Amino acid sequence: MFQQTPASDAAAPALGGNANAMAMQQMGFHDLLKNFDFLGWIVFVVLVIMSFASWYFIIANAIRNSMVRGRADGVINGFWSNNSTQDAIRELEAQPKGEPFSKIALDAASAVAHHQQAAAGGGRLAESLSRSEFIDRALRQAVARESLRLEGGMTLLATVGSSAPFIGLLGTVWGIYHALIRIAASGNASMEAVAGPVGEALIMTAFGLFTAIPAVLAYNFFTRSNRLTYARFDEFAHDLHDFFATGARVEGVAPTQK
């Protein structure tokens, strides 16, 4: 009465499931490296280099910014609390080479000394530029120089954040192209034929995002942090200008543009 199911029919689903499972195992990172062609290797190496470069500048900028902001109050308060200008200058000279606030103050002091020497010698510098103008010029150059140093690596972070997803997308498109080539060559769209190229495409997409996201977050964070430091540069420079130009610090007055 009952018809017995052939053994081959019962085994077919199991064989298909095993084939799909084995095909899914070809979508790992190890298989990705084995199946790379020339363009795939170029995309992969570029993303690796961009990732290492961005993380280098992320760590370097984080250390530098924390040191600058950590020392800022000590340097500024130490300068104003010193009763002797010469003692304050010696204290500034003892600061680390990469400390920006001390370098701005030292440039202002150097400009004052230079102008005084020119005025004593009857040079044309003292005639063409007043003491206030000469100090203002030196402070602007110092602030611009130290601000530029704080921006080290920011261009690279912006470039990585904006271009890494598209480079990863190039690898994705190339992987899908390989999948279509395999389908055309084999005549079927089975999982076994397309698993490797599709896995390559998905991994390259993820790798591009993994490279870009930290760079974008770091760029936004450092942009905000640097903006606060630039504001302190300007505030300190205005106070220095008033001090070296008039001999006294003007407190409680909004700085005016000169």
Side-chain angles (χ1 to χ4, degrees), residues 124-145:
R124 296 183 60 184
L125 173 63
E127 298 176 2
S128 58
L129 289 175
S130 67
R131 178 189 179 109
S132 176
E133 291 172 335
F134 195 68
I135 296 171
D136 182 72
R137 179 183 175 187
L139 284 170
R140 288 179 184 275
Q141 291 176 344
V143 169
R145 182 192 66 234

Side-chain angles (χ1 to χ4, degrees), residues 51 54-55 58 157 160-161 208-220:
S51 180
S54 63
W55 275 107
I58 289 172
L157 291 178
V160 171
L209 295 175
F210 175 78
T211 303
I213 290 174
V216 171
L217 295 177
Y219 177 82
N220 293 332

Side-chain angles (χ1 to χ4, degrees), residues 7 14 20 33 72 79-80 83 109 144 171 197 208 252:
N20 289 339
L33 296 179
F79 178 82
W80 295 124
N83 295 325

